[in-house]
Amino acid sequence: MFKKYFTLQEANKLLPAVREELAHLQYLQREFQAVYYQLQAVKKAELEGKTKDTDDIFMLESTIDFLEIQAQCYVRQLEQAGIFIKSIDEGLVDFPAKVEGQSVLLCWKQGEEFITHYHHLFESFKKRKKIYSTDDEIEGGL
């Protein structure tokens, strides 16, 4: 089902890099929103006849495009490593794994020191289950 499955140890080892990537994504998201609101204000002013500066609109739209491309690169980089961003806002990240031969997602939320929970593929973060055992029951590999 997945290209890569992580052991608990492998996933936890990647958390410093994931934290950094997520922080970049959150920064880009804030910038995107700020520029988007600025663009809407400039477009509204143009519609109301208060300005005729199409250069501003072009620059803001170009900035939005560039921010989107940057964010896509971060997400793609994580996905190529087999890691899935579930929510940039909430800082939710999933790592495919296997528990007792069954595909699951190790789930981590920004602010947590380590991965301590998992959930089944079609369950949400709210239904996550605590990992009580050692890494032996969390299977990784290709």
Side-chain angles (χ1 to χ4, degrees):
M1 175 171 258
F2 294 103
K3 290 189 293 186
K4 165 120 179 94
Y5 290 91
F6 294 88
T7 65
L8 184 58
Q9 182 181 15
E10 289 170 335
N12 277 321
K13 196 174 193 178
L14 290 171
L15 285 182
V18 170
R19 283 183 184 99
E20 190 174 321
E21 301 280 321
L22 188 58
H24 286 296
L25 281 166
Q26 289 169 333
Y27 168 78
L28 290 170
Q29 187 175 45
R30 287 189 302 274
E31 286 295 304
F32 182 95
Q33 290 170 344
V35 174
Y36 177 80
Y37 291 129
Q38 189 178 358
L39 175 62
Q40 295 310 307
V42 170
K43 284 183 172 181
K44 182 179 177 188
E46 184 182 45
L47 282 173
E48 294 171 352
K50 295 178 183 174
T51 184
K52 296 242 188 240
D53 194 355
T54 56
D55 288 344
D56 281 349
I57 292 173
F58 175 77
M59 288 302 295
L60 291 169
E61 287 175 340
S62 296
T63 300
I64 284 174
D65 289 344
F66 182 69
L67 290 167
E68 185 177 0
I69 290 167
Q70 284 181 296
Q72 287 173 356
C73 286
Y74 281 111
V75 170
R76 194 173 313 118
Q77 184 174 334
L78 289 165
E79 286 179 348
Q80 286 175 346
I83 302 165
F84 300 98
I85 301 289
K86 293 300 181 170
S87 172
I88 294 171
D89 286 338
E90 297 178 56
L92 298 179
V93 179
D94 285 342
F95 298 80
K98 288 195 174 195
V99 172
E100 299 174 358
Q102 187 175 14
S103 292
V104 298
L105 296 167
L106 301 175
C107 55
W108 174 78
K109 184 175 182 177
Q110 191 174 31
E112 296 175 342
E113 188 174 352
F114 299 105
I115 297 168
T116 57
H117 292 79
Y118 74 95
H119 58 81
H120 294 282
L121 299 183
F122 300 106
E123 293 180 332
S124 69
F125 177 82
K126 293 177 183 178
K127 295 218 176 190
R128 67 187 193 153
K129 296 154 187 57
K130 181 101 171 125
I131 299 170
Y132 291 105
S133 62
T134 65
D135 192 45
D136 296 346
E137 292 184 24
I138 307 289
E139 306 159 26
L142 298 176

